[in-house]
Amino acid sequence: MLVDSPPEPRAETAPAPPTRRAIRSFGLLLSLVILALVVLASIAVGAKGLSPQQVWHGLFHDSGTYADVVVGDRLSRTVLGLLAGAALGLSGAVLQALTRNPLADPGLLGINAGASAAVVTAITYFGVTSLSGYVWFAFFGAAAVGALVWFLGGSRGATPVRLALAGTAISAALYGYLQAVMITDDAALGKMRFWTVGSLASATDSTIRQVLPFLVAGTALALGLARPLNAVAMGDDTARALGAGLNRTRALAMAAATVLCGAATAACGPIVFVGLMVPHAVRSFTGPDLRWILPYATVLSPVLLLGSDVIGRVVARPAELQVGIVTAIIGGPVFIFLVRRRRTAQL
């Protein structure tokens, strides 16, 4: 009599390792959580600390108490920091892809210099004294310099090297003009001294409304260029083989970076290193794919800017350090580290 043998036990299948896409998606979700915590800290922390209950009451009730007034003031500051940080990080990532230089930032193409030169001109020769007036002059200066760099860089024949050289030359000339005007005009020096440091302290609802359309348009354009910029980053010949329009992509990338950085600089002043540090750090995690670099830079750059603003409020209580000073203090050593690491990798 035959007896059926028991079935052989099946080998347990090892769980599949998480895909790189899943890891990146989880990292982006975690970045959003971190951003939410930093936003809460930006509203709650300052010369006077507020409890979570006071923050909640100030956001969703209008009773006119001191805490509610403080929350209202800090909310405008936080929203502007959120928008400007995203714009600076996104413009830096686009420029690094456009110039194929991982150490590039919005200042490389003269956009900050153009905005600064326009503001000092407005103060000295047109008598502009309000931040709402600075915004439009600064934005016009940034846009004009962006167009000039594109023209001097060769327009349709523009290359990353030509654009960088044109931006560097124009920046040097404009900063020379800026210093000459400020030295000869004490009133301009006094008014520009605060703006050129880079600050969120003067944020108002009016300023946010003025720059918001430009920031939304620039963000949408930059995010839409992820795939074409991926092709451009592989080199001109490869990009042409993949069917990417080099001139069109470069022109749109210049326009996106100019609109983003110009609007952020107009509202806050020239804030350095945000557009350099965050995209470069993000690239080490996401790899060279701009479809991930751009969203990460959009989320994590406000973390750096708002975090620096909170630090500036805490370390010098009851006064404060402007956010542009804090980002420069943080960014200097980080930039040296990045340069040294890049040099070591090339040896």
Side-chain angles (χ1 to χ4, degrees):
M1 182 176 179
L2 297 177
V3 179
D4 293 336
S5 58
E8 296 182 359
R10 295 181 180 179
E12 294 185 3
T13 304
T19 64
R20 188 170 180 83
R21 181 183 181 87
I23 294 173
R24 288 169 172 170
S25 300
F26 175 77
L28 190 58
L29 179 61
L30 181 61
S31 299
L32 288 169
V33 173
I34 294 172
L35 177 59
L37 294 176
V38 173
V39 166
L40 180 61
S42 178
I43 298 174
V45 177
K48 175 179 175 57
L50 300 177
S51 67
Q53 292 80 5
Q54 288 175 312
V55 172
W56 179 268
H57 193 275
L59 288 173
F60 299 104
H61 299 81
D62 187 18
S63 62
T65 65
Y66 176 77
D68 296 341
V69 173
V70 170
V71 169
D73 291 339
R74 292 181 188 171
L75 183 61
S76 296
R77 182 171 185 161
T78 300
V79 171
L80 183 59
L82 188 68
L83 295 173
L88 292 172
L90 195 53
S91 63
V94 168
L95 289 176
Q96 288 175 12
L98 176 65
T99 60
R100 296 202 286 267
N101 180 1
L103 298 180
D105 75 335
L108 181 66
L109 298 186
I111 297 173
N112 287 344
S116 300
V119 169
V120 77
T121 300
I123 292 173
T124 304
Y125 300 110
F126 296 97
V128 177
T129 58
S130 66
L131 182 63
S132 60
Y134 296 164
V135 167
W136 294 108
F137 276 92
F139 186 77
F140 173 79
V145 168
L148 182 59
V149 168
W150 176 250
F151 174 76
L152 295 179
S155 299
R156 292 183 178 276
T159 64
V161 174
R162 287 181 180 178
L163 291 174
L165 289 175
T168 301
I170 292 173
S171 293
L174 289 178
Y175 278 125
Y177 163 76
L178 185 69
Q179 295 300 321
V181 173
M182 291 175 65
I183 289 173
T184 57
D185 189 333
D186 292 339
L189 175 62
K191 293 174 182 177
M192 280 290 293
R193 184 167 48 194
F194 179 79
W195 186 83
T196 54
V197 168
S199 173
L200 299 176
S202 299
T204 63
D205 293 342
S206 175
T207 303
I208 294 172
R209 285 194 298 268
Q210 290 179 52
V211 299
L212 183 59
F214 299 102
L215 295 176
V216 171
T219 299
L221 178 58
L223 293 175
L225 289 172
R227 288 181 180 275
L229 283 173
N230 272 341
V232 170
M234 297 179 184
D236 292 1
D237 294 337
T238 303
R240 290 191 186 95
L242 293 173
L246 284 174
N247 294 329
R248 178 176 176 273
T249 300
R250 284 173 177 157
L252 291 176
M254 275 289 299
T258 299
V259 169
L260 287 169
C261 185
T265 303
C268 308
I271 298 175
V272 296
F273 287 117
V274 175
L276 165 67
M277 286 190 292
V278 176
H280 193 89
V282 163
R283 191 178 293 106
S284 64
F285 173 73
T286 63
D289 191 346
L290 286 160
R291 293 174 299 175
W292 290 100
I293 292 174
L294 297 183
Y296 265 95
T298 304
V299 174
L300 290 178
S301 295
V303 172
L304 174 62
L305 186 60
L306 289 175
S308 298
D309 190 44
V310 171
I311 292 172
R313 296 182 223 170
V314 171
V315 297
R317 281 178 174 172
E320 66 177 66
L321 288 177
Q322 303 306 324
V323 65
I325 297 175
V326 180
T327 58
I329 293 173
I330 296 173
V334 172
F335 182 75
I336 293 173
F337 169 76
L338 294 176
V339 171
R340 288 184 61 85
R341 190 178 69 171
R342 181 173 171 81
R343 181 181 177 185
T344 302
Q346 291 175 343
L347 293 178

